[in-house]
Amino acid sequence: MIPPDHPRYRSLVTREMLAESVRKGIVSMEGLTAHGRGEAFDYFIGERTTRSALYAERTAAALLLSARNPVISVNGNTAALAAREIAALQKACGAKVEVNLFHRTEERVNLIEDLLRNAGSDVFSGPAERLLPLSHDRAWCRREGMFSADVILVPLEDGDRAEALVTMGKTVIALDLNPLSRTSRSATLTIVDELTRALPNITRACRDLSGAEREELLSSLDNNYLLSEAIREMTMRLSHALE
Amino acid sequence: MIPPDHPRYRSLVTREMLAESVRKGIVSMEGLTAHGRGEAFDYFIGERTTRSALYAERTAAALLLSARNPVISVNGNTAALAAREIAALQKACGAKVEVNLFHRTEERVNLIEDLLRNAGSDVFSGPAERLLPLSHDRAWCRREGMFSADVILVPLEDGDRAEALVTMGKTVIALDLNPLSRTSRSATLTIVDELTRALPNITRACRDLSGAEREELLSSLDNNYLLSEAIREMTMRLSHALE
């Protein structure tokens, strides 16, 4: 048992929960490594939502609300960490929720879909086809879902799928703690924030954005600016580290 | 299967291999998350050996060659990632190779010792005693090995053991990608580099260092300088990242 007064309580409980999710077959072992990687980047932004990240989150809400066929892509880590937050966002923006996995088996897809449904999501399910221009299993998706989406939210993504989706002409919203990743650089909009902080902020913005603010956010979208702000935050923290 | 054309092929294959090592009982689940954290820091130094890291690696060789009883401490991640590199370094510097684990069971110790032997190491084995001033299982070591070592190389270490070893008067060489960790700050010499790049560099230096260069490296050892150089590299890379 982790004592609740431990200074890293939240982080340790999350790790334990993810290890448990590996045992259940929801998270892949590779997902644990990816999580550790995210932890290090989160440390560099101070484990809080920065001002520029909040701006990105409100812009994400504007994009989702303006979409014709928005889709939220969910992998194992996202489902394990934030199934409830995904359900709340779906209610607020009306997006389809579709499972897409790098380490794909039918059994894992079913387990993750069940987890999402139990947390309140209406999961866009059914037979998938190999529709995305990718050599690995993230190519599998549904024709009426991800394949025909105009706006797609991809939390905890791998870089080549993000690139492929952009090449297909889609508006890609990435949720990635690493501002230097291929995903972050190729996405239309990148949110450099931790999943369970970012999703509720997007949901809140979906509920409270005025029409005028929506328009303004969409017209001022500048992903390079957002990435450079995230990097500036990290650089500042690092350069004061040995003081 | 990970496609060989994936731009993160090496990193993904490593993750897969570590996951396989968890299944075999060599790496702990916590080891996977720790690996991910290391990956993020490696990203910040450009996934290459920096000039200051190479200097630290050559200094490490000088320390190992000048030691009376040098020991290389090996944990699960180190064995899984670099068993061959450990064997090569042992041949070049004559150090003892000894297993020391945070998540210790006799079975894991045996598995890791076998892995090291199969890769060519002469493993310093046999009954361990609780000899280091630590409350957890990293306290277990051998009297004629780690306990009486004067110079000890600790790759992928946890902070309080590094501190304990320094307090015991030992020269501690840490291999740690995080220049801000307790291990990095308390070690005599810290190499901020990735394991499979660092170990061959130390091995090469063991073979080619002249007596004069050895003396010079030993007399100019300044760990604060090395850590601040590592942080400077990371800060520089970050601040130029979007250019």
Tab-separated table of all heavy atoms in Angstrom, chain B residues 38-65:
chain	number	residue	atom	x	y	z
B	38	GLY	N	13.851	7.260	-18.575
B	38	GLY	CA	15.178	7.427	-19.168
B	38	GLY	C	15.103	7.831	-20.629
B	38	GLY	O	15.835	8.712	-21.078
B	39	GLU	N	14.180	7.220	-21.357
B	39	GLU	CA	14.012	7.551	-22.787
B	39	GLU	C	13.765	9.043	-22.989
B	39	GLU	O	14.282	9.645	-23.924
B	39	GLU	CB	12.802	6.802	-23.360
B	39	GLU	CG	13.071	5.393	-23.825
B	39	GLU	CD	11.856	4.833	-24.575
B	39	GLU	OE1	10.787	5.465	-24.590
B	39	GLU	OE2	11.984	3.738	-25.131
B	40	ALA	N	12.943	9.607	-22.108
B	40	ALA	CA	12.618	11.028	-22.254
B	40	ALA	C	13.868	11.886	-22.075
B	40	ALA	O	14.104	12.834	-22.825
B	40	ALA	CB	11.546	11.428	-21.246
B	41	PHE	N	14.672	11.541	-21.067
B	41	PHE	CA	15.903	12.307	-20.856
B	41	PHE	C	16.869	12.120	-22.014
B	41	PHE	O	17.567	13.051	-22.414
B	41	PHE	CB	16.562	11.915	-19.530
B	41	PHE	CG	15.834	12.441	-18.332
B	41	PHE	CD1	15.035	11.609	-17.568
B	41	PHE	CD2	15.937	13.777	-17.983
B	41	PHE	CE1	14.349	12.101	-16.468
B	41	PHE	CE2	15.254	14.274	-16.886
B	41	PHE	CZ	14.451	13.434	-16.121
B	42	ASP	N	16.902	10.926	-22.572
B	42	ASP	CA	17.781	10.665	-23.713
B	42	ASP	C	17.397	11.544	-24.900
B	42	ASP	O	18.246	12.054	-25.626
B	42	ASP	CB	17.713	9.178	-24.094
B	42	ASP	CG	18.914	8.754	-24.940
B	42	ASP	OD1	19.919	9.500	-24.975
B	42	ASP	OD2	18.850	7.684	-25.560
B	43	TYR	N	16.104	11.707	-25.060
B	43	TYR	CA	15.569	12.599	-26.076
B	43	TYR	C	16.177	13.985	-25.950
B	43	TYR	O	16.558	14.618	-26.923
B	43	TYR	CB	14.068	12.718	-25.791
B	43	TYR	CG	13.204	12.753	-27.005
B	43	TYR	CD1	12.623	11.585	-27.463
B	43	TYR	CD2	12.934	13.943	-27.659
B	43	TYR	CE1	11.797	11.618	-28.557
B	43	TYR	CE2	12.109	13.977	-28.745
B	43	TYR	CZ	11.538	12.805	-29.192
B	43	TYR	OH	10.717	12.832	-30.276
B	44	PHE	N	16.276	14.453	-24.705
B	44	PHE	CA	16.752	15.807	-24.451
B	44	PHE	C	18.243	15.985	-24.759
B	44	PHE	O	18.683	17.097	-24.976
B	44	PHE	CB	16.509	16.205	-22.991
B	44	PHE	CG	15.089	16.594	-22.706
B	44	PHE	CD1	14.451	16.136	-21.575
B	44	PHE	CD2	14.394	17.436	-23.562
B	44	PHE	CE1	13.145	16.502	-21.302
B	44	PHE	CE2	13.093	17.798	-23.301
B	44	PHE	CZ	12.467	17.321	-22.168
B	45	ILE	N	19.017	14.891	-24.705
B	45	ILE	CA	20.418	15.055	-25.096
B	45	ILE	C	20.621	14.613	-26.554
B	45	ILE	O	21.759	14.460	-27.014
B	45	ILE	CB	21.420	14.324	-24.167
B	45	ILE	CG1	21.082	12.840	-24.023
B	45	ILE	CG2	21.514	14.995	-22.816
B	45	ILE	CD1	22.215	12.036	-23.375
B	46	GLY	N	19.528	14.399	-27.272
B	46	GLY	CA	19.633	14.120	-28.705
B	46	GLY	C	19.936	12.664	-29.023
B	46	GLY	O	20.369	12.348	-30.129
B	47	GLU	N	19.737	11.779	-28.047
B	47	GLU	CA	19.980	10.336	-28.249
B	47	GLU	C	21.361	10.084	-28.840
B	47	GLU	O	21.531	9.282	-29.763
B	47	GLU	CB	18.866	9.732	-29.118
B	47	GLU	CG	17.518	9.777	-28.420
B	47	GLU	CD	16.353	9.299	-29.257
B	47	GLU	OE1	16.306	9.633	-30.442
B	47	GLU	OE2	15.487	8.578	-28.717
B	48	ARG	N	22.331	10.788	-28.305
B	48	ARG	CA	23.711	10.597	-28.736
B	48	ARG	C	24.619	10.883	-27.541
B	48	ARG	O	24.189	11.493	-26.570
B	48	ARG	CB	24.038	11.547	-29.879
B	48	ARG	CG	24.212	12.964	-29.372
B	48	ARG	CD	24.190	14.028	-30.427
B	48	ARG	NE	24.887	15.223	-29.935
B	48	ARG	CZ	24.440	16.044	-28.986
B	48	ARG	NH1	23.305	15.819	-28.370
B	48	ARG	NH2	25.155	17.099	-28.637
B	49	THR	N	25.860	10.439	-27.628
B	49	THR	CA	26.819	10.718	-26.564
B	49	THR	C	27.331	12.144	-26.723
B	49	THR	O	27.926	12.481	-27.745
B	49	THR	CB	27.997	9.734	-26.649
B	49	THR	OG1	27.484	8.405	-26.482
B	49	THR	CG2	29.023	10.013	-25.571
B	50	THR	N	27.085	12.975	-25.732
B	50	THR	CA	27.560	14.358	-25.815
B	50	THR	C	29.060	14.396	-25.508
B	50	THR	O	29.632	13.433	-25.003
B	50	THR	CB	26.837	15.253	-24.800
B	50	THR	OG1	27.160	14.779	-23.490
B	50	THR	CG2	25.331	15.208	-24.991
B	51	ARG	N	29.676	15.530	-25.790
B	51	ARG	CA	31.103	15.678	-25.556
B	51	ARG	C	31.436	15.489	-24.073
B	51	ARG	O	32.389	14.798	-23.713
B	51	ARG	CB	31.548	17.075	-26.012
B	51	ARG	CG	32.919	17.124	-26.644
B	51	ARG	CD	33.103	18.449	-27.387
B	51	ARG	NE	33.033	19.573	-26.472
B	51	ARG	CZ	34.122	20.135	-25.907
B	51	ARG	NH1	35.326	19.689	-26.186
B	51	ARG	NH2	33.989	21.158	-25.083
B	52	SER	N	30.609	16.091	-23.205
B	52	SER	CA	30.895	15.970	-21.770
B	52	SER	C	30.654	14.536	-21.279
B	52	SER	O	31.345	14.056	-20.379
B	52	SER	CB	30.072	16.971	-20.956
B	52	SER	OG	28.688	16.794	-21.186
B	53	ALA	N	29.690	13.830	-21.891
B	53	ALA	CA	29.454	12.430	-21.500
B	53	ALA	C	30.642	11.565	-21.894
B	53	ALA	O	31.077	10.696	-21.121
B	53	ALA	CB	28.173	11.905	-22.139
B	54	LEU	N	31.187	11.809	-23.073
B	54	LEU	CA	32.356	11.029	-23.503
B	54	LEU	C	33.541	11.280	-22.560
B	54	LEU	O	34.278	10.358	-22.207
B	54	LEU	CB	32.738	11.392	-24.943
B	54	LEU	CG	33.862	10.538	-25.543
B	54	LEU	CD1	33.477	9.065	-25.597
B	54	LEU	CD2	34.235	11.028	-26.954
B	55	TYR	N	33.670	12.517	-22.143
B	55	TYR	CA	34.720	12.858	-21.175
B	55	TYR	C	34.486	12.080	-19.868
B	55	TYR	O	35.414	11.502	-19.299
B	55	TYR	CB	34.701	14.365	-20.921
B	55	TYR	CG	35.924	14.885	-20.233
B	55	TYR	CD1	37.087	15.150	-20.949
B	55	TYR	CD2	35.925	15.114	-18.858
B	55	TYR	CE1	38.220	15.623	-20.318
B	55	TYR	CE2	37.051	15.583	-18.214
B	55	TYR	CZ	38.202	15.844	-18.949
B	55	TYR	OH	39.320	16.308	-18.321
B	56	ALA	N	33.237	12.044	-19.429
B	56	ALA	CA	32.896	11.296	-18.209
B	56	ALA	C	33.179	9.806	-18.402
B	56	ALA	O	33.661	9.125	-17.478
B	56	ALA	CB	31.419	11.520	-17.850
B	57	GLU	N	32.908	9.290	-19.591
B	57	GLU	CA	33.138	7.858	-19.856
B	57	GLU	C	34.635	7.529	-19.809
B	57	GLU	O	35.042	6.492	-19.271
B	57	GLU	CB	32.506	7.478	-21.209
B	57	GLU	CG	30.978	7.354	-21.088
B	57	GLU	CD	30.202	7.690	-22.355
B	57	GLU	OE1	30.827	7.858	-23.422
B	57	GLU	OE2	28.963	7.795	-22.269
B	58	ARG	N	35.447	8.406	-20.343
B	58	ARG	CA	36.900	8.178	-20.302
B	58	ARG	C	37.410	8.292	-18.855
B	58	ARG	O	38.299	7.547	-18.436
B	58	ARG	CB	37.627	9.144	-21.244
B	58	ARG	CG	37.256	8.861	-22.719
B	58	ARG	CD	38.038	9.680	-23.718
B	58	ARG	NE	39.423	9.296	-23.852
B	58	ARG	CZ	39.863	8.252	-24.552
B	58	ARG	NH1	39.009	7.469	-25.174
B	58	ARG	NH2	41.148	7.982	-24.619
B	59	THR	N	36.806	9.201	-18.094
B	59	THR	CA	37.177	9.321	-16.679
B	59	THR	C	36.770	8.060	-15.916
B	59	THR	O	37.498	7.584	-15.037
B	59	THR	CB	36.518	10.569	-16.052
B	59	THR	OG1	36.788	11.706	-16.877
B	59	THR	CG2	37.038	10.825	-14.650
B	60	ALA	N	35.604	7.513	-16.267
B	60	ALA	CA	35.155	6.266	-15.632
B	60	ALA	C	36.164	5.153	-15.881
B	60	ALA	O	36.505	4.378	-14.977
B	60	ALA	CB	33.783	5.868	-16.171
B	61	ALA	N	36.663	5.081	-17.125
B	61	ALA	CA	37.678	4.069	-17.443
B	61	ALA	C	38.917	4.266	-16.577
B	61	ALA	O	39.464	3.306	-16.024
B	61	ALA	CB	38.035	4.147	-18.930
B	62	ALA	N	39.348	5.518	-16.427
B	62	ALA	CA	40.528	5.808	-15.603
B	62	ALA	C	40.301	5.360	-14.162
B	62	ALA	O	41.185	4.759	-13.532
B	62	ALA	CB	40.843	7.303	-15.669
B	63	LEU	N	39.100	5.619	-13.631
B	63	LEU	CA	38.790	5.208	-12.255
B	63	LEU	C	38.791	3.685	-12.124
B	63	LEU	O	39.338	3.131	-11.159
B	63	LEU	CB	37.418	5.763	-11.824
B	63	LEU	CG	37.351	7.266	-11.515
B	63	LEU	CD1	35.895	7.713	-11.371
B	63	LEU	CD2	38.128	7.589	-10.221
B	64	LEU	N	38.184	2.998	-13.082
B	64	LEU	CA	38.106	1.528	-13.007
B	64	LEU	C	39.503	0.914	-13.101
B	64	LEU	O	39.834	-0.038	-12.376
B	64	LEU	CB	37.208	0.990	-14.130
B	64	LEU	CG	35.701	1.248	-13.933
B	64	LEU	CD1	34.933	0.983	-15.242
B	64	LEU	CD2	35.129	0.387	-12.808
B	65	LEU	N	40.337	1.480	-14.003
B	65	LEU	CA	41.688	0.917	-14.185
B	65	LEU	C	42.575	1.174	-12.968
B	65	LEU	O	43.503	0.400	-12.699
B	65	LEU	CB	42.340	1.512	-15.440
B	65	LEU	CG	41.714	1.108	-16.783
B	65	LEU	CD1	42.354	1.883	-17.928
B	65	LEU	CD2	41.834	-0.406	-17.021
